[in-house]
Amino acid sequence: MSWTMKLSTFLLCLFGTCVVGCVGQLSNRESLEVDVDRTATPVPPGETQQIPDYIREVFGNVPAEVNPMNPENNNPYNFGIGLPGVPGKNGVPGRNGRNGKRGEVGPQGPSGPAGLKGDQGDMGALGFTGAPGPEGQKGDRGHMGFPGSPGIEGLPGVTGLPGQDGQRLWKQCAWTEESDADYGVIQGCSFSKAHVDTWLKVSFTGNLRVGGCSNCCRRWFISFNGTECSSPVAIDAAMYVVGPNTANPLRPRHIEGYCGGIAMGQVSVTLNVGDCPGFAVADAFSGFGSASRIIIEEVQPPQE
């Protein structure tokens, strides 16, 4: 194969013709010359075309200028230039370059917005005990607390002085006489009170009645030294009769009570009769066919 054929075939493969075409052209000179001659712009006869240095380096002793489109040229280096070939694929990316030098520190930027509130941290360790502070002002009195539990039983106390005689101090005055009095004292009984702070218990038992009237009332009461009891209240009883005028209700009656604030010594205890508040005078009768009695007893004062 001549140098012209070889050079033409190489240039066609170099500028974009397919590999199959290159192989076919190596064996068929006429098809090679047709492909080259028909696609390139003809160079007028007598003119030359500059041959690139890289072609001359590949093929050795190649003239610097030739007329590739002159078919009559017997020069062994007669060849043509074909169409540009298909662009090749991109090569493998090269390696990363070295890191550049560290730049200078820039100016401080503006403060950013406040962040969200964080979670509460763990409790820190206890600090040292501080010095005692000054005494504060006295506070208001607090509310009464709940009752406490019973305390431990105390030791036995000292033996007290001998007490008074355990015998009861009492007296009874009895009579069988009847009384038609509507006012005043019916009967009396004297009692010797032995202590200052004791009380007197007095009771009366006997027949009493209000009669000969309608809607009438009489009142019987106990007095001490001529005065009714006021500690706490009077010892008395009232009897009321509706009627008729012929009624005569003689019945056993009982009057009893305690009285305090009476001085130590002789005490005159009497049974009296008188008016009922809001009623007129009526016929009263005390005692009938049986004994009547006043009983007096000195007792300890009541519990609080």
Side-chain angles (χ1 to χ4, degrees):
M1 185 181 293
S2 65
W3 277 101
T4 304
M5 182 177 178
K6 292 180 180 181
L7 184 59
S8 300
T9 303
F10 175 77
L11 292 174
L12 288 174
C13 293
L14 182 63
F15 290 95
T17 59
C18 66
V19 176
V20 176
C22 292
V23 175
Q25 289 168 359
L26 290 174
S27 63
N28 189 354
R29 180 180 179 184
E30 292 181 0
S31 63
L32 175 64
E33 291 178 349
V34 172
D35 291 340
V36 173
D37 294 343
R38 297 301 181 267
T39 58
T41 303
V43 178
E47 296 183 4
T48 61
Q49 184 174 352
Q50 182 71 30
I51 300 302
D53 292 339
Y54 66 87
I55 295 178
R56 296 176 68 215
E57 292 177 0
V58 173
F59 292 96
N61 187 18
V62 178
E65 294 181 357
V66 296
N67 188 344
M69 303 307 297
N70 185 1
E72 300 299 335
N73 189 356
N74 292 324
N75 192 319
Y77 301 105
N78 183 25
F79 59 88
I81 300 175
L83 295 174
V86 179
K89 296 182 181 180
N90 294 332
V92 179
R95 296 181 180 179
N96 296 333
R98 295 182 179 180
N99 295 335
K101 294 182 179 181
R102 183 174 182 179
E104 298 180 356
V105 178
Q108 183 177 357
S111 300
L116 300 176
K117 183 179 181 180
D119 298 332
Q120 183 176 355
D122 298 331
M123 184 175 180
L126 297 177
F128 297 104
T129 303
E135 184 177 356
Q137 297 180 354
K138 184 178 181 180
D140 298 333
R141 184 174 182 180
H143 300 290
M144 180 179 295
F146 296 102
S149 57
I152 302 174
E153 184 177 355
L155 299 175
V158 181
T159 302
L161 299 175
Q164 298 177 355
D165 190 355
Q167 295 180 356
R168 296 172 59 186
L169 300 177
W170 66 280
K171 182 179 180 180
Q172 171 180 269
C173 298
W175 65 94
T176 58
E177 295 83 4
E178 299 176 356
S179 174
D180 194 24
D182 298 327
Y183 285 102
V185 176
I186 302 301
Q187 190 62 259
C189 183
S190 179
F191 183 84
S192 178
K193 190 170 180 290
H195 306 283
V196 176
D197 58 347
T198 54
W199 286 41
L200 293 183
K201 176 184 178 182
V202 178
S203 60
F204 163 78
T205 302
N207 288 330
L208 302 174
R209 70 112 173 105
V210 177
C213 59
S214 299
N215 298 325
C216 50
C217 176
R218 299 310 286 169
R219 173 176 172 266
W220 284 261
F221 57 92
I222 303 295
S223 63
F224 301 88
N225 295 328
T227 304
E228 287 193 65
C229 181
S230 60
S231 178
V233 291
I235 302 175
D236 61 348
M239 186 181 300
Y240 171 78
V241 176
V242 177
N245 294 340
T246 58
N248 188 25
L250 278 168
R251 302 286 188 275
R253 316 293 177 179
H254 185 82
I255 303 172
E256 182 177 289
Y258 294 83
C259 187
I262 301 173
M264 182 179 63
Q266 292 295 320
V267 180
S268 175
V269 180
T270 58
L271 174 67
N272 306 270
V273 63
D275 296 331
C276 293
F279 287 87
V281 178
D283 184 19
F285 196 88
S286 302
F288 177 78
S290 62
S292 299
R293 59 183 50 84
I294 294 176
I295 300 175
I296 307 169
E297 181 179 4
E298 186 172 359
V299 297
Q300 295 294 325
Q303 296 180 351
E304 297 295 334

